[in-house]
């Protein structure tokens, strides 16, 4: 009996969880960790920096960039640790434990340093924020995606459940932060500490010990070796993922840090508190629909092919940016007295991008799982996708912050749409070249093997 067959017998004996129970447990782990990430990932954080700390768009971009610069060094480490430990949840426990400190960190360290408006203390706050939130949120989110994806695959599940949990976490935290912010901007950050507590409880329920000696779709008996890393570095598919992350995902991901401010741009100043509540409520039905749809997304992605799915996501972002640009241009032309048409269009654009954004990490994770040996999937995902996107995003936050500040929303989003389309076309050509090259190499290997046997 193979290890793959023994999974069912172990599930029947209760040594490991059934596929259904494992899915529920890891769904909760991903959900609560995403709630922690929502403290910094939602648009409320940029609004908080703008309205409560009184930073401009460029300074906000610098703060976000400093977090990314520090976080980028965690990701290769996390990839190595996850591949080494496989389903042992040591990294996940560290994320949850540090997540408990989110509220006190904001209240007693981060906010006081920023409110001094001293250049030295400003950059010190940025550095400390990078060290702390880079570990828990930016690199931590990538680690959680990889670990939860591997866990559910080992139990014969599919990665789309992880994406569904992540999206549900963003939905709950986005709405929660928005509502709490209107009452007390600081209290919202304690929601992360609250979520971390429940994440620890979910982690304690996982049954992973038996997988240390099992060969499954998500785990391997063989240890991660230097030769495996060498194989990854010389694999052309790895660089396709790197190019997508660096050229397309960076441009799309970086603008999210300021999308909350973009949404408020269309509202009169005296209605902006109402606007925050309105935008959180109107987005609930859309998010709920997407959470449901995301639980079945793996099948279509695999049938279409993950490489093609990456390009589809890129064109989806470009279309959303075009809608953003048109809405901002309408607002500039019509003026603040006739803001309703542009406001409606901006709301439509923001709901459209909600359909595209959660697909990208899922497509990237599916691409990695279908392209690389299971011993190195975490390294491939964190190094080839997350590391590169965080490194590029550190510069992207500054560049796009400057674009929004100096060129305005309309021109900046027009330029982003054109850039993403151009990058997607170029990357499509590279993908076709890599696919053709790999087919020729496989055929050459088979021909050589046949000649040796004849």
């Amino acid at each position: 009996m193979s290890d793959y067959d023994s999974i069912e017998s172990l599930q029947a004996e209760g040594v490991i969880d059934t596929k259904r129970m494992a899915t529920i447990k890891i769904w909760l782990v991903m959900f609560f960790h995403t709630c922690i990430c929502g403290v910094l990932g939602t648009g409320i954080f940029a609004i908080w920096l703008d309205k409560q700390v009184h930073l401009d768009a460029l300074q906000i971009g610098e703060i976000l960039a400093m977090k990314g610069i520090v976080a980028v060094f965690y990701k290769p480490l996390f990839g190595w640790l996850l591949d080494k430990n496989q389903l042992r949840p040591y990294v996940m426990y560290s994320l949850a434990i540090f997540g408990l400190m989110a509220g006190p960190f904001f209240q007693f360290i981060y906010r006081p340093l920023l409110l001094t408006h001293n250049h030295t203390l400003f950059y010190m706050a940025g550095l400390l924020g990078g060290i702390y939130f880079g570990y828990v949120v930016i690199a931590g989110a990538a680690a959680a995606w990889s670990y939860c994806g591997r866990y559910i695959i080992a139990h014969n599940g599919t990665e789309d459940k992880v994406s569904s949990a992540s999206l549900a976490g963003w939905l709950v935290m986005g709405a929660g932060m928005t509502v709490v912010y209107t009452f007390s901007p600081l209290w919202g950050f304690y929601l992360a500490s609250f979520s971390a507590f429940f994440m620890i409880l979910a982690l304690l329920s996982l049954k992973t010990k038996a997988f240390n000696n099992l060969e499954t779709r998500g785990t391997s008996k063989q240890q991660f070796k230097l030769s495996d890393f060498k194989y990854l570095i010389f694999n052309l598919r790895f660089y396709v993922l790197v190019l997508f992350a660096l050229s397309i995902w960076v441009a799309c991901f970086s603008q999210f840090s300021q999308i909350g401010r973009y949404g408020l741009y269309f509202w009169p100043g005296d209605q902006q508190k109402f606007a925050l509540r309105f935008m959180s409520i109107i987005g609930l039905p859309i998010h709920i629909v997407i959470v449901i749809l995301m639980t079945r997304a793996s099948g279509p992605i695999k049938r279409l092919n993950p490489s093609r799915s990456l390009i589809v996501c890129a064109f989806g972002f470009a279309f959303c940016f075009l809608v953003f640009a048109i809405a901002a241009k309408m607002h500039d032309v019509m003026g603040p007295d006739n803001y309703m048409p542009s406001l409606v269009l901006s709301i439509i654009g923001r709901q459209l991008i909600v359909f595209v954004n959660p697909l990208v990490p899922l497509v990237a994770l599916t691409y990695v799982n279908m392209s690389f040996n299971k011993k190195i999937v975490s390294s491939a995902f964190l190094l080839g996708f997350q590391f590169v996107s965080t490194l590029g995003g550190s510069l992207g936050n500054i560049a796009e912050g400057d674009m929004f500040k100096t060129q305005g929303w309309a021109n900046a989003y027009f330029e982003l749409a054109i850039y993403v389309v151009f990058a997607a076309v170029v990357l499509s050509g590279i993908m076709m070249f890599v696919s053709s090259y790999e087919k020729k190499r496989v055929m050459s290997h088979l021909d050589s093997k046949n000649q040796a046997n004849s």
Side-chain angles (χ1 to χ4, degrees):
M1 183 172 64
S2 69
D3 288 335
Y4 292 92
D5 296 329
S6 66
I7 291 177
E8 294 182 359
S9 63
L10 290 173
Q11 288 175 330
E13 295 170 9
V15 177
I16 62 176
D17 288 317
T18 63
K19 174 182 172 181
R20 181 183 180 87
M21 182 57 65
T23 299
I24 293 172
K25 288 182 177 181
I26 207 64
W27 195 96
L28 290 172
V29 170
M30 190 68 195
F31 171 79
F32 287 122
H33 184 267
T34 304
C35 288
I36 300 172
C37 297
V39 170
L40 287 186
T42 60
I44 291 297
F45 180 66
I47 295 171
W48 179 76
L49 292 173
D50 180 6
K51 305 297 182 182
Q52 303 299 320
V53 189
H54 310 296
L55 304 182
D56 61 29
L58 181 57
Q59 289 174 314
I60 293 172
E62 289 175 341
I63 283 288
L64 298 174
M66 282 186 276
K67 296 201 313 294
I69 289 172
V70 179
V72 75
F73 296 104
Y74 292 130
K75 293 192 175 183
L77 173 63
F78 280 171
W80 175 74
L81 288 173
L82 289 170
D83 281 329
K84 181 178 176 62
N85 294 311
Q86 300 196 59
L87 293 191
R88 300 177 186 92
Y90 305 138
V91 171
M92 299 301 293
Y93 272 115
S94 72
L95 298 178
I97 291 169
F98 281 109
L100 288 170
M101 307 175 189
F105 179 83
F106 258 106
Q107 182 174 2
F108 301 112
I109 300 175
Y110 200 64
R111 182 173 177 268
L113 287 175
L114 290 176
L115 284 174
T116 62
H117 295 286
N118 177 281
H119 286 293
T120 302
L121 295 179
F122 173 84
Y123 288 107
M124 182 183 294
L127 178 62
L128 290 175
I131 293 171
Y132 177 74
F133 289 108
Y135 188 96
V136 178
V137 179
I138 304 176
W145 263 90
S146 185
Y147 177 85
C148 294
R150 171 174 264 163
Y151 182 94
I152 202 167
I153 288 173
H155 288 82
N156 293 326
T158 53
E159 305 97 323
D160 46 22
K161 307 303 186 295
V162 179
S163 182
S164 170
S166 177
L167 188 59
W170 285 114
L171 169 62
V172 171
M173 186 56 74
M177 285 286 288
T178 300
V179 173
V180 174
Y181 179 87
T182 60
F183 295 100
S184 174
L186 194 59
W187 289 355
F189 299 120
Y190 278 91
L191 288 176
S193 299
F194 187 71
S195 300
F197 172 77
F198 286 100
M199 180 181 171
I200 291 174
L201 296 181
L203 286 169
L204 288 170
S205 71
L206 301 183
K207 298 179 180 179
T208 61
K209 188 175 181 180
F211 286 96
N212 296 344
N213 299 308
L214 285 178
E215 187 81 20
T216 73
R217 291 171 56 227
T219 59
S220 173
K221 292 180 180 180
Q222 300 177 349
Q223 294 295 314
F224 181 84
K225 299 178 181 178
L226 184 61
S227 58
D228 297 316
F229 185 75
K230 182 179 178 181
Y231 161 78
L232 175 65
I233 295 299
F234 287 97
N235 192 313
L236 290 178
R237 287 184 172 272
F238 175 75
Y239 292 100
V240 168
L241 187 63
V242 168
L243 286 173
F244 174 83
L246 193 59
S247 62
I248 296 174
W249 180 234
V250 163
C252 301
F253 175 75
S254 297
Q255 61 86 35
F256 270 98
S257 63
Q258 310 237 22
I259 200 170
R261 295 179 62 247
Y262 168 84
L264 292 181
Y265 173 71
F266 298 88
W267 293 82
D270 59 348
Q271 297 183 25
Q272 291 190 354
K273 277 198 172 182
F274 167 78
L276 290 173
R277 298 177 186 177
F278 175 80
M279 287 189 290
S280 66
I281 293 171
I282 199 173
L284 281 175
I286 300 295
H287 277 81
I288 292 171
V289 169
I290 297 172
V291 168
I292 296 171
L293 292 176
M294 201 58 63
T295 60
R296 295 291 183 268
S298 279
I301 290 171
K302 291 174 182 176
R303 285 193 293 271
L304 178 61
N305 186 297
S307 298
R308 296 193 189 100
S309 299
L310 289 172
I311 300 301
V312 171
C313 289
F315 280 105
F317 273 115
F319 178 75
C320 293
F321 293 164
L322 184 61
V323 174
F324 286 171
I326 293 172
K329 195 67 177 178
M330 288 172 57
H331 183 80
D332 294 341
V333 172
M334 295 179 178
D337 294 332
N338 189 21
Y339 66 90
M340 190 56 67
S342 60
L343 172 62
V344 172
L345 186 58
S346 71
I347 292 173
I348 292 173
R350 290 192 64 183
Q351 303 314 308
L352 288 174
I353 206 168
V354 171
F355 280 92
V356 184
N357 183 52
L359 281 172
V360 178
L362 174 59
V363 174
L365 188 61
T366 306
Y367 177 91
V368 166
N369 285 326
M370 293 182 67
S371 301
F372 302 101
N373 187 292
K374 57 194 170 187
K375 289 193 294 180
I376 58 172
V377 292
S378 293
S379 294
F381 183 66
L382 272 84
L383 186 60
F385 181 70
Q386 295 288 353
F387 173 86
V388 172
S389 59
T390 302
L391 184 63
S394 300
L395 301 176
N397 276 315
I398 296 175
E400 292 184 16
D402 185 59
M403 287 172 63
F404 293 135
K405 179 181 179 180
T406 59
Q407 301 180 38
W409 298 110
N411 291 335
Y413 273 118
F414 270 126
E415 292 176 11
L416 284 174
I418 293 170
Y419 167 77
V420 170
V421 169
F422 175 78
V425 171
V426 173
L427 187 61
S428 297
I430 295 173
M431 286 178 172
M432 287 189 289
F433 168 78
V434 170
S435 178
S436 175
Y437 173 79
E438 288 184 338
K439 286 180 181 178
K440 289 180 180 178
R441 190 177 64 174
V442 170
M443 293 303 297
S444 176
H445 175 73
L446 290 175
D447 291 340
S448 299
K449 189 175 181 179
N450 290 333
Q451 291 176 4
N453 293 332
S454 61

